[in-house]
Amino acid sequence: MIALVRGELYRVATIRSSWISSIVLGVLTMMLGWLSVDMWKLLVGMGAFGLAAMQTAQHYQHQTAVLLHLGRPNRLLALVAQLIAGVIVTLAFAALSGVTVLGKGHVEHYRDALVVVPLMAVFATAAATILRRPTWLFLSSGAWFIIIEGLISTLEKPWPFTAFLQASAGDRLHLLIFAGWVTLAVVGAIVAIHRDLVGE
């Protein structure tokens, strides 16, 4: 398991597009965190989703998933390793990008966001395991957030991204609701990880 997690982290560190996008996103989030703690929480959530989802979806995009599963036939262990690696990467991203939020004295907001970011990483990794194609994943997630959660529900219904935003503000009920969405996504990922890789 440790070797699998280390391999995932090494892959993230050595793919230039991954670490460049992480640095750019981190700096942008840090700068906006100085202006608004709410904007920071939104960008941390979306950034955590994007980083964790891309980390997993790249396996299917670059067809390294075939090699991964040939080398490690137990696909559930590979999924768990991807979940752990996603949590590590997104926690580092959130912790570092929140330095400006801490600098302004918003310790509770910083802490509440760091509590829920690992759940967002797990949710994103599971979603990427289910959909596998990054373009579909980001387009469908963006459309869902903007149209369903933003325009139709006006961020008042306990949908996944809304629950994340409320949980990052310290709402414990929405933290439990978001954990429920994460659990559903993980169950879907456990089923999806066993799908055939031919044609992906």
Side-chain angles (χ1 to χ4, degrees):
M1 175 61 71
I2 293 174
L4 279 170
V5 174
R6 191 168 52 232
E8 289 294 318
L9 294 174
Y10 178 78
R11 188 173 57 84
V12 170
T14 55
I15 295 176
R16 185 168 35 192
S17 62
S18 291
W19 58 264
I20 288 177
S21 58
S22 299
I23 291 171
V24 170
L25 186 60
V27 170
L28 176 64
T29 305
M30 188 183 297
M31 289 178 357
L32 289 175
W34 183 255
L35 299 175
S36 166
V37 68
D38 292 327
M39 184 63 72
W40 175 75
K41 286 189 284 191
L42 175 64
L43 282 178
V44 159
M46 298 304 107
F49 181 87
L51 291 174
M54 185 55 73
Q55 182 177 323
T56 300
Q58 281 177 339
H59 266 306
Y60 301 100
Q61 183 181 20
H62 301 305
Q63 299 181 346
T64 55
V66 176
L67 298 174
L68 173 67
H69 295 316
L70 283 174
R72 302 285 183 168
N74 189 334
R75 292 188 180 191
L76 285 180
L77 278 181
L79 175 61
V80 171
Q82 289 171 348
L83 293 171
I84 293 170
V87 167
I88 291 170
V89 169
T90 56
L91 261 179
F93 159 73
L96 292 173
S97 70
V99 169
T100 51
V101 173
L102 275 179
K104 292 185 75 175
H106 298 294
V107 178
E108 288 185 8
H109 292 285
Y110 181 81
R111 181 200 62 214
D112 291 337
L114 288 188
V115 166
V116 74
V117 158
L119 287 176
M120 180 58 87
V122 171
F123 181 75
T125 301
T129 303
I130 294 167
L131 290 180
R132 294 187 174 177
R133 297 183 186 273
T135 304
W136 294 358
L137 176 61
F138 290 122
L139 287 177
S140 60
S141 299
W144 174 271
F145 178 64
I146 293 168
I147 297 170
I148 303 297
E149 297 196 31
L151 296 176
I152 295 175
S153 298
T154 61
L155 298 177
E156 294 178 359
K157 303 287 185 186
W159 295 115
F161 296 111
T162 303
F164 169 84
L165 291 174
Q166 295 296 329
S168 68
D171 188 321
R172 299 302 174 211
L173 174 61
H174 280 88
L175 179 61
L176 291 175
I177 292 170
F178 186 55
W181 285 110
V182 172
T183 302
L184 284 175
V186 169
V187 169
I190 289 171
V191 173
I193 196 75
H194 296 291
R195 290 198 331 250
D196 193 0
L197 293 170
V198 175
E200 292 296 339

